[in-house]
Amino acid sequence: MPPSRRPLAPERRNLAFAYGLWALGLVGVCGLHRFYNRKPLSGTLWLVTFGFCFLGQLVDLWLMPELVDQANGRLLLPGPALSVELQLVQLARRSGQAGFTLNDALLEMDLPDGMDSREVRQEIERLLHADLLDVGNDDRGRVVYREP
């Protein structure tokens, strides 16, 4: 089974580029800077109303740093991180009967800062004792962990 791939993180927004899109409002294409800053509803409104008769477009000239900060701020707030326990159980389910090795776990999991292989092994041992994982060997003799 190929290793799971993480989705690419959304790109950060650039203030200079946002001002460049704002400047297109001077030729009648208003609101593109709002689309760029992840505000599609107000971007559509600006587009069809010519930036609220250009008054909203002018206000955005001063609000632009805040719009960019808000768009980038969503990237900085991570969602709830999955616990190591949950990641191990999910890895066991994904790997099926083939199981996963300690190396697989270290490569595929999003470990908390400072957590090393010894601590991951201890968590695996805890899950083994709780009957949430099963241990065995694969056809090459490697120790693998599976869902029971």
PDB file of all heavy atoms in Angstrom, residues 47-71:
ATOM      1  N   LEU A  47     -17.627  42.758  -7.207  1.00  0.00           N
ATOM      2  CA  LEU A  47     -17.529  42.599  -8.653  1.00  0.00           C
ATOM      3  C   LEU A  47     -18.790  43.101  -9.361  1.00  0.00           C
ATOM      4  O   LEU A  47     -18.703  43.792 -10.380  1.00  0.00           O
ATOM      5  CB  LEU A  47     -17.277  41.131  -8.986  1.00  0.00           C
ATOM      6  CG  LEU A  47     -16.849  40.782 -10.398  1.00  0.00           C
ATOM      7  CD1 LEU A  47     -15.527  41.446 -10.741  1.00  0.00           C
ATOM      8  CD2 LEU A  47     -16.713  39.274 -10.546  1.00  0.00           C
ATOM      9  N   VAL A  48     -19.973  42.775  -8.825  1.00  0.00           N
ATOM     10  CA  VAL A  48     -21.220  43.165  -9.503  1.00  0.00           C
ATOM     11  C   VAL A  48     -21.673  44.587  -9.181  1.00  0.00           C
ATOM     12  O   VAL A  48     -22.483  45.147  -9.906  1.00  0.00           O
ATOM     13  CB  VAL A  48     -22.364  42.155  -9.215  1.00  0.00           C
ATOM     14  CG1 VAL A  48     -22.003  40.784  -9.738  1.00  0.00           C
ATOM     15  CG2 VAL A  48     -22.723  42.125  -7.759  1.00  0.00           C
ATOM     16  N   THR A  49     -21.141  45.170  -8.096  1.00  0.00           N
ATOM     17  CA  THR A  49     -21.540  46.546  -7.742  1.00  0.00           C
ATOM     18  C   THR A  49     -20.409  47.545  -7.975  1.00  0.00           C
ATOM     19  O   THR A  49     -20.482  48.676  -7.501  1.00  0.00           O
ATOM     20  CB  THR A  49     -21.980  46.622  -6.269  1.00  0.00           C
ATOM     21  OG1 THR A  49     -20.868  46.291  -5.439  1.00  0.00           O
ATOM     22  CG2 THR A  49     -23.165  45.721  -5.989  1.00  0.00           C
ATOM     23  N   PHE A  50     -19.393  47.099  -8.719  1.00  0.00           N
ATOM     24  CA  PHE A  50     -18.219  47.942  -8.968  1.00  0.00           C
ATOM     25  C   PHE A  50     -17.633  48.473  -7.662  1.00  0.00           C
ATOM     26  O   PHE A  50     -17.351  49.660  -7.514  1.00  0.00           O
ATOM     27  CB  PHE A  50     -18.538  49.083  -9.941  1.00  0.00           C
ATOM     28  CG  PHE A  50     -18.963  48.594 -11.281  1.00  0.00           C
ATOM     29  CD1 PHE A  50     -20.291  48.634 -11.656  1.00  0.00           C
ATOM     30  CD2 PHE A  50     -18.036  48.056 -12.162  1.00  0.00           C
ATOM     31  CE1 PHE A  50     -20.701  48.160 -12.892  1.00  0.00           C
ATOM     32  CE2 PHE A  50     -18.441  47.574 -13.398  1.00  0.00           C
ATOM     33  CZ  PHE A  50     -19.768  47.620 -13.765  1.00  0.00           C
ATOM     34  N   GLY A  51     -17.472  47.563  -6.714  1.00  0.00           N
ATOM     35  CA  GLY A  51     -16.857  47.925  -5.433  1.00  0.00           C
ATOM     36  C   GLY A  51     -17.706  48.884  -4.632  1.00  0.00           C
ATOM     37  O   GLY A  51     -17.173  49.806  -4.016  1.00  0.00           O
ATOM     38  N   PHE A  52     -19.008  48.617  -4.615  1.00  0.00           N
ATOM     39  CA  PHE A  52     -19.964  49.521  -3.964  1.00  0.00           C
ATOM     40  C   PHE A  52     -19.740  50.941  -4.480  1.00  0.00           C
ATOM     41  O   PHE A  52     -19.473  51.878  -3.727  1.00  0.00           O
ATOM     42  CB  PHE A  52     -19.844  49.499  -2.439  1.00  0.00           C
ATOM     43  CG  PHE A  52     -20.588  48.390  -1.786  1.00  0.00           C
ATOM     44  CD1 PHE A  52     -19.932  47.542  -0.906  1.00  0.00           C
ATOM     45  CD2 PHE A  52     -21.926  48.169  -2.021  1.00  0.00           C
ATOM     46  CE1 PHE A  52     -20.602  46.509  -0.282  1.00  0.00           C
ATOM     47  CE2 PHE A  52     -22.610  47.139  -1.402  1.00  0.00           C
ATOM     48  CZ  PHE A  52     -21.940  46.312  -0.537  1.00  0.00           C
ATOM     49  N   CYS A  53     -19.853  51.084  -5.786  1.00  0.00           N
ATOM     50  CA  CYS A  53     -19.629  52.370  -6.466  1.00  0.00           C
ATOM     51  C   CYS A  53     -18.254  52.945  -6.122  1.00  0.00           C
ATOM     52  O   CYS A  53     -18.087  54.146  -5.931  1.00  0.00           O
ATOM     53  CB  CYS A  53     -20.736  53.369  -6.136  1.00  0.00           C
ATOM     54  SG  CYS A  53     -22.345  52.825  -6.722  1.00  0.00           S
ATOM     55  N   PHE A  54     -17.304  52.072  -6.016  1.00  0.00           N
ATOM     56  CA  PHE A  54     -15.893  52.340  -5.748  1.00  0.00           C
ATOM     57  C   PHE A  54     -15.622  52.799  -4.309  1.00  0.00           C
ATOM     58  O   PHE A  54     -14.477  52.867  -3.891  1.00  0.00           O
ATOM     59  CB  PHE A  54     -15.317  53.350  -6.752  1.00  0.00           C
ATOM     60  CG  PHE A  54     -13.835  53.218  -6.896  1.00  0.00           C
ATOM     61  CD1 PHE A  54     -13.276  52.124  -7.546  1.00  0.00           C
ATOM     62  CD2 PHE A  54     -12.983  54.157  -6.368  1.00  0.00           C
ATOM     63  CE1 PHE A  54     -11.904  51.979  -7.663  1.00  0.00           C
ATOM     64  CE2 PHE A  54     -11.615  54.024  -6.482  1.00  0.00           C
ATOM     65  CZ  PHE A  54     -11.067  52.929  -7.135  1.00  0.00           C
ATOM     66  N   LEU A  55     -16.658  53.060  -3.513  1.00  0.00           N
ATOM     67  CA  LEU A  55     -16.414  53.464  -2.120  1.00  0.00           C
ATOM     68  C   LEU A  55     -15.856  52.297  -1.302  1.00  0.00           C
ATOM     69  O   LEU A  55     -14.927  52.479  -0.514  1.00  0.00           O
ATOM     70  CB  LEU A  55     -17.700  53.993  -1.481  1.00  0.00           C
ATOM     71  CG  LEU A  55     -18.213  55.313  -2.050  1.00  0.00           C
ATOM     72  CD1 LEU A  55     -19.541  55.691  -1.405  1.00  0.00           C
ATOM     73  CD2 LEU A  55     -17.190  56.407  -1.867  1.00  0.00           C
ATOM     74  N   GLY A  56     -16.424  51.108  -1.489  1.00  0.00           N
ATOM     75  CA  GLY A  56     -15.903  49.938  -0.791  1.00  0.00           C
ATOM     76  C   GLY A  56     -14.485  49.613  -1.230  1.00  0.00           C
ATOM     77  O   GLY A  56     -13.652  49.189  -0.436  1.00  0.00           O
ATOM     78  N   GLN A  57     -14.224  49.835  -2.504  1.00  0.00           N
ATOM     79  CA  GLN A  57     -12.880  49.603  -3.033  1.00  0.00           C
ATOM     80  C   GLN A  57     -11.886  50.550  -2.364  1.00  0.00           C
ATOM     81  O   GLN A  57     -10.778  50.148  -1.999  1.00  0.00           O
ATOM     82  CB  GLN A  57     -12.901  49.811  -4.552  1.00  0.00           C
ATOM     83  CG  GLN A  57     -11.687  49.340  -5.276  1.00  0.00           C
ATOM     84  CD  GLN A  57     -11.660  47.839  -5.519  1.00  0.00           C
ATOM     85  OE1 GLN A  57     -12.573  47.112  -5.155  1.00  0.00           O
ATOM     86  NE2 GLN A  57     -10.590  47.380  -6.120  1.00  0.00           N
ATOM     87  N   LEU A  58     -12.275  51.812  -2.157  1.00  0.00           N
ATOM     88  CA  LEU A  58     -11.389  52.770  -1.489  1.00  0.00           C
ATOM     89  C   LEU A  58     -11.152  52.392  -0.026  1.00  0.00           C
ATOM     90  O   LEU A  58     -10.030  52.498   0.472  1.00  0.00           O
ATOM     91  CB  LEU A  58     -11.974  54.188  -1.566  1.00  0.00           C
ATOM     92  CG  LEU A  58     -11.792  54.903  -2.894  1.00  0.00           C
ATOM     93  CD1 LEU A  58     -12.489  56.254  -2.866  1.00  0.00           C
ATOM     94  CD2 LEU A  58     -10.323  55.073  -3.218  1.00  0.00           C
ATOM     95  N   VAL A  59     -12.199  51.938   0.647  1.00  0.00           N
ATOM     96  CA  VAL A  59     -12.048  51.518   2.039  1.00  0.00           C
ATOM     97  C   VAL A  59     -11.084  50.342   2.123  1.00  0.00           C
ATOM     98  O   VAL A  59     -10.249  50.262   3.029  1.00  0.00           O
ATOM     99  CB  VAL A  59     -13.426  51.166   2.653  1.00  0.00           C
ATOM    100  CG1 VAL A  59     -13.273  50.494   4.001  1.00  0.00           C
ATOM    101  CG2 VAL A  59     -14.283  52.417   2.767  1.00  0.00           C
ATOM    102  N   ASP A  60     -11.162  49.448   1.149  1.00  0.00           N
ATOM    103  CA  ASP A  60     -10.271  48.286   1.143  1.00  0.00           C
ATOM    104  C   ASP A  60      -8.808  48.677   0.979  1.00  0.00           C
ATOM    105  O   ASP A  60      -7.915  47.916   1.357  1.00  0.00           O
ATOM    106  CB  ASP A  60     -10.668  47.301   0.045  1.00  0.00           C
ATOM    107  CG  ASP A  60     -11.856  46.443   0.436  1.00  0.00           C
ATOM    108  OD1 ASP A  60     -12.269  46.506   1.616  1.00  0.00           O
ATOM    109  OD2 ASP A  60     -12.368  45.713  -0.428  1.00  0.00           O
ATOM    110  N   LEU A  61      -8.556  49.847   0.420  1.00  0.00           N
ATOM    111  CA  LEU A  61      -7.176  50.320   0.305  1.00  0.00           C
ATOM    112  C   LEU A  61      -6.522  50.376   1.689  1.00  0.00           C
ATOM    113  O   LEU A  61      -5.374  49.997   1.867  1.00  0.00           O
ATOM    114  CB  LEU A  61      -7.152  51.696  -0.364  1.00  0.00           C
ATOM    115  CG  LEU A  61      -5.800  52.331  -0.608  1.00  0.00           C
ATOM    116  CD1 LEU A  61      -4.969  51.470  -1.542  1.00  0.00           C
ATOM    117  CD2 LEU A  61      -5.971  53.722  -1.204  1.00  0.00           C
ATOM    118  N   TRP A  62      -7.284  50.798   2.693  1.00  0.00           N
ATOM    119  CA  TRP A  62      -6.765  50.876   4.058  1.00  0.00           C
ATOM    120  C   TRP A  62      -6.926  49.550   4.807  1.00  0.00           C
ATOM    121  O   TRP A  62      -6.182  49.268   5.728  1.00  0.00           O
ATOM    122  CB  TRP A  62      -7.466  52.006   4.829  1.00  0.00           C
ATOM    123  CG  TRP A  62      -6.943  53.327   4.421  1.00  0.00           C
ATOM    124  CD1 TRP A  62      -5.854  53.961   4.916  1.00  0.00           C
ATOM    125  CD2 TRP A  62      -7.466  54.176   3.407  1.00  0.00           C
ATOM    126  NE1 TRP A  62      -5.662  55.151   4.269  1.00  0.00           N
ATOM    127  CE2 TRP A  62      -6.644  55.317   3.331  1.00  0.00           C
ATOM    128  CE3 TRP A  62      -8.549  54.089   2.525  1.00  0.00           C
ATOM    129  CZ2 TRP A  62      -6.863  56.353   2.444  1.00  0.00           C
ATOM    130  CZ3 TRP A  62      -8.770  55.126   1.645  1.00  0.00           C
ATOM    131  CH2 TRP A  62      -7.930  56.233   1.609  1.00  0.00           C
ATOM    132  N   LEU A  63      -7.909  48.761   4.421  1.00  0.00           N
ATOM    133  CA  LEU A  63      -8.144  47.486   5.102  1.00  0.00           C
ATOM    134  C   LEU A  63      -7.290  46.336   4.565  1.00  0.00           C
ATOM    135  O   LEU A  63      -7.308  45.243   5.129  1.00  0.00           O
ATOM    136  CB  LEU A  63      -9.618  47.082   4.965  1.00  0.00           C
ATOM    137  CG  LEU A  63     -10.648  47.947   5.676  1.00  0.00           C
ATOM    138  CD1 LEU A  63     -12.039  47.392   5.415  1.00  0.00           C
ATOM    139  CD2 LEU A  63     -10.365  48.014   7.160  1.00  0.00           C
ATOM    140  N   MET A  64      -6.577  46.566   3.474  1.00  0.00           N
ATOM    141  CA  MET A  64      -5.864  45.477   2.817  1.00  0.00           C
ATOM    142  C   MET A  64      -4.924  44.700   3.742  1.00  0.00           C
ATOM    143  O   MET A  64      -4.945  43.463   3.736  1.00  0.00           O
ATOM    144  CB  MET A  64      -5.088  45.993   1.604  1.00  0.00           C
ATOM    145  CG  MET A  64      -4.562  44.877   0.746  1.00  0.00           C
ATOM    146  SD  MET A  64      -5.871  43.956  -0.069  1.00  0.00           S
ATOM    147  CE  MET A  64      -6.497  45.232  -1.136  1.00  0.00           C
ATOM    148  N   PRO A  65      -4.097  45.351   4.571  1.00  0.00           N
ATOM    149  CA  PRO A  65      -3.235  44.550   5.459  1.00  0.00           C
ATOM    150  C   PRO A  65      -4.030  43.623   6.379  1.00  0.00           C
ATOM    151  O   PRO A  65      -3.644  42.478   6.607  1.00  0.00           O
ATOM    152  CB  PRO A  65      -2.469  45.601   6.265  1.00  0.00           C
ATOM    153  CG  PRO A  65      -2.476  46.814   5.396  1.00  0.00           C
ATOM    154  CD  PRO A  65      -3.793  46.784   4.675  1.00  0.00           C
ATOM    155  N   GLU A  66      -5.174  44.097   6.861  1.00  0.00           N
ATOM    156  CA  GLU A  66      -6.008  43.264   7.726  1.00  0.00           C
ATOM    157  C   GLU A  66      -6.636  42.103   6.946  1.00  0.00           C
ATOM    158  O   GLU A  66      -6.713  40.974   7.452  1.00  0.00           O
ATOM    159  CB  GLU A  66      -7.105  44.114   8.358  1.00  0.00           C
ATOM    160  CG  GLU A  66      -7.964  43.357   9.336  1.00  0.00           C
ATOM    161  CD  GLU A  66      -9.034  44.224   9.968  1.00  0.00           C
ATOM    162  OE1 GLU A  66      -8.863  45.453  10.036  1.00  0.00           O
ATOM    163  OE2 GLU A  66     -10.053  43.654  10.389  1.00  0.00           O
ATOM    164  N   LEU A  67      -7.060  42.355   5.707  1.00  0.00           N
ATOM    165  CA  LEU A  67      -7.627  41.284   4.885  1.00  0.00           C
ATOM    166  C   LEU A  67      -6.595  40.180   4.638  1.00  0.00           C
ATOM    167  O   LEU A  67      -6.903  38.989   4.730  1.00  0.00           O
ATOM    168  CB  LEU A  67      -8.107  41.838   3.541  1.00  0.00           C
ATOM    169  CG  LEU A  67      -9.351  42.725   3.549  1.00  0.00           C
ATOM    170  CD1 LEU A  67      -9.571  43.355   2.176  1.00  0.00           C
ATOM    171  CD2 LEU A  67     -10.566  41.933   3.961  1.00  0.00           C
ATOM    172  N   VAL A  68      -5.373  40.577   4.340  1.00  0.00           N
ATOM    173  CA  VAL A  68      -4.307  39.598   4.096  1.00  0.00           C
ATOM    174  C   VAL A  68      -3.980  38.852   5.386  1.00  0.00           C
ATOM    175  O   VAL A  68      -3.805  37.625   5.371  1.00  0.00           O
ATOM    176  CB  VAL A  68      -3.064  40.285   3.498  1.00  0.00           C
ATOM    177  CG1 VAL A  68      -1.891  39.328   3.434  1.00  0.00           C
ATOM    178  CG2 VAL A  68      -3.373  40.843   2.121  1.00  0.00           C
ATOM    179  N   ASP A  69      -3.919  39.576   6.506  1.00  0.00           N
ATOM    180  CA  ASP A  69      -3.642  38.917   7.795  1.00  0.00           C
ATOM    181  C   ASP A  69      -4.736  37.904   8.144  1.00  0.00           C
ATOM    182  O   ASP A  69      -4.452  36.825   8.645  1.00  0.00           O
ATOM    183  CB  ASP A  69      -3.513  39.940   8.916  1.00  0.00           C
ATOM    184  CG  ASP A  69      -2.208  40.706   8.869  1.00  0.00           C
ATOM    185  OD1 ASP A  69      -1.278  40.243   8.174  1.00  0.00           O
ATOM    186  OD2 ASP A  69      -2.114  41.765   9.525  1.00  0.00           O
ATOM    187  N   GLN A  70      -5.988  38.251   7.886  1.00  0.00           N
ATOM    188  CA  GLN A  70      -7.081  37.317   8.154  1.00  0.00           C
ATOM    189  C   GLN A  70      -6.975  36.085   7.268  1.00  0.00           C
ATOM    190  O   GLN A  70      -7.182  34.959   7.727  1.00  0.00           O
ATOM    191  CB  GLN A  70      -8.431  37.989   7.921  1.00  0.00           C
ATOM    192  CG  GLN A  70      -8.832  38.966   8.985  1.00  0.00           C
ATOM    193  CD  GLN A  70     -10.134  39.677   8.644  1.00  0.00           C
ATOM    194  OE1 GLN A  70     -10.716  39.466   7.574  1.00  0.00           O
ATOM    195  NE2 GLN A  70     -10.580  40.537   9.539  1.00  0.00           N
ATOM    196  N   ALA A  71      -6.651  36.280   6.003  1.00  0.00           N
ATOM    197  CA  ALA A  71      -6.529  35.147   5.080  1.00  0.00           C
ATOM    198  C   ALA A  71      -5.385  34.235   5.502  1.00  0.00           C
ATOM    199  O   ALA A  71      -5.496  33.014   5.432  1.00  0.00           O
ATOM    200  CB  ALA A  71      -6.316  35.647   3.654  1.00  0.00           C
TER     201      ALA A  71
END
